Amino acid sequence: MPLRYYEDIPVGDVHDLGSYEADRSELLAFAERYDPQPIHVDPEIAAETMYGGVIASGWHTASSCMRLLVDGFLAETETLGSFGLEELRWRNPVYPGDEVSVEVRILEKTESTSRDDRGYITSETEATNQDGEEVVYWRATNIFLKDPDE
Amino acid sequence: MPLRYYEDIPVGDVHDLGSYEADRSELLAFAERYDPQPIHVDPEIAAETMYGGVIASGWHTASSCMRLLVDGFLAETETLGSFGLEELRWRNPVYPGDEVSVEVRILEKTESTSRDDRGYITSETEATNQDGEEVVYWRATNIFLKDPDE
């Protein structure tokens, strides 16, 4: 299947990216390495907090959603990467065993004014848990190659 | 040492959080799991791009900076976590072997209007490589407990 260029990604498109299960040992290992706050790595301390137990590092949740975004959308496009995010929100905690579903929506497109071969696409990625509660949200701008034949 | 409350974190404070070395095998392993785009996982394809070789997933760079932010700042505070980021920018690529230095600056404080026991602190985290080039930047708002004795 040919990869999708800038022109092939219309505003308004919504992609269901599937889901992942928040694996307890992976959450703990990720947090030990990258975000060793007690709420993420210490079950005893976490049990005494408002959360009642360990929760995922927000960076683990975002990275896990990124995986689904790559597999279900970016891998099929001619993307040149991203400048970053305009907003990243952790709305609700992710607990071990949660099932997190992700979708991406195409919001806006802008052709580059300085480079003929590319355009910028703003999208929002939203993840919800098995109870329909939003857990993470971000808005990003990615760079995509334009179709050389158009 | 007692943990620092909202009152103990003045606007204008800058914390040098030290640095980490971007380890090639860690970059590849992280990207295989969370961000398997060719530029992050496939040395041959990456060599043909403008980057000339594999670069770190932006999520790996952010997560690695988070580790330094926890160790060098958050672990010494009474933080209740974060709502998220107002902005996250990947300014320049991180290559295997790069030395990435991180600092956090306290920008703004706002007392909660609904909860007497807490306040919100906006900070910016900035990371630069060994050549002084900025690689990642974010602005975040964290929740901190107020000192019950004040």
Side-chain angles (χ1 to χ4, degrees), chain B residues 7 31 35 55 59 61 71 77 82 101 123-124 126 134-136 138 141 148:
Chain B
E7 292 85 346
D35 192 354
I55 60 172
W59 296 102
T61 303
D71 289 351
T77 69
S82 172
S101 302
S123 62
E124 57 185 4
E126 184 184 20
E134 190 176 50
V135 295
V136 74
W138 75 73
T141 302

Side-chain angles (χ1 to χ4, degrees), chain A residues 125-141:
Chain A
T125 297
E126 185 184 19
T128 50
N129 66 19
Q130 65 281 354
D131 299 319
E133 297 166 321
E134 190 178 50
V135 295
V136 74
Y137 168 91
W138 75 72
R139 204 165 59 254
T141 302

Side-chain angles (χ1 to χ4, degrees), chain A residues 26 30 32-37 59-60 62-64 66-67 70 79 83-90, chain B residues 26 30 32-37 59-60 62-64 66-67 70 79 83-90:
Chain A
E26 183 183 333
F30 185 101
E32 286 286 354
R33 172 65 190 90
Y34 298 110
D35 191 356
Q37 301 187 76
W59 295 102
H60 178 269
S63 297
S64 299
M66 184 66 191
R67 172 59 187 263
V70 170
T79 179
F83 299 122
L85 313 184
E86 276 76 52
E87 191 182 2
L88 171 62
R89 290 284 175 249
W90 295 296
Chain B
E26 183 184 331
F30 185 100
E32 286 286 354
R33 172 66 190 86
Y34 298 111
D35 192 354
Q37 301 187 74
W59 296 102
H60 178 268
S63 297
S64 299
M66 184 66 191
R67 173 57 187 264
V70 171
T79 180
F83 298 121
L85 313 184
E86 276 76 50
E87 190 182 3
L88 171 62
R89 290 284 175 249
W90 294 297

Side-chain angles (χ1 to χ4, degrees), chain B residues 10-142:
Chain B
V11 169
D13 256 20
V14 179
H15 299 268
D16 176 352
L17 304 174
S19 67
Y20 74 93
E21 187 184 326
D23 177 76
R24 181 181 175 88
S25 56
E26 183 184 331
L27 295 196
L28 290 169
F30 185 100
E32 286 286 354
R33 172 66 190 86
Y34 298 111
D35 192 354
Q37 301 187 74
I39 191 72
H40 303 312
V41 299
D42 190 320
E44 285 182 29
I45 292 180
E48 302 299 312
T49 67
M50 59 182 280
Y51 299 112
V54 288
I55 60 172
S57 165
W59 296 102
H60 178 268
T61 303
S63 297
S64 299
C65 293
M66 184 66 191
R67 173 57 187 264
L68 295 178
L69 186 61
V70 171
D71 289 351
F73 176 60
L74 292 174
E76 295 159 13
T77 69
E78 290 281 7
T79 180
L80 298 174
S82 172
F83 298 121
L85 313 184
E86 276 76 50
E87 190 182 3
L88 171 62
R89 290 284 175 249
W90 294 297
R91 308 272 196 204
N92 283 289
V94 171
Y95 290 90
D98 277 0
E99 188 76 19
V100 178
S101 302
V102 188
E103 70 173 39
V104 61
R105 295 182 283 267
I106 307 303
L107 295 183
E108 198 180 320
K109 297 173 64 170
T110 317
E111 299 194 13
S112 170
T113 52
S114 57
R115 310 271 307 250
D116 281 350
D117 67 343
R118 64 194 62 187
Y120 310 116
I121 298 185
T122 304
S123 62
E124 57 185 4
T125 298
E126 184 184 20
T128 50
N129 65 18
Q130 65 281 354
D131 299 319
E133 297 166 324
E134 190 176 50
V135 295
V136 74
Y137 168 91
W138 75 73
R139 206 166 58 252
T141 302
N142 279 67

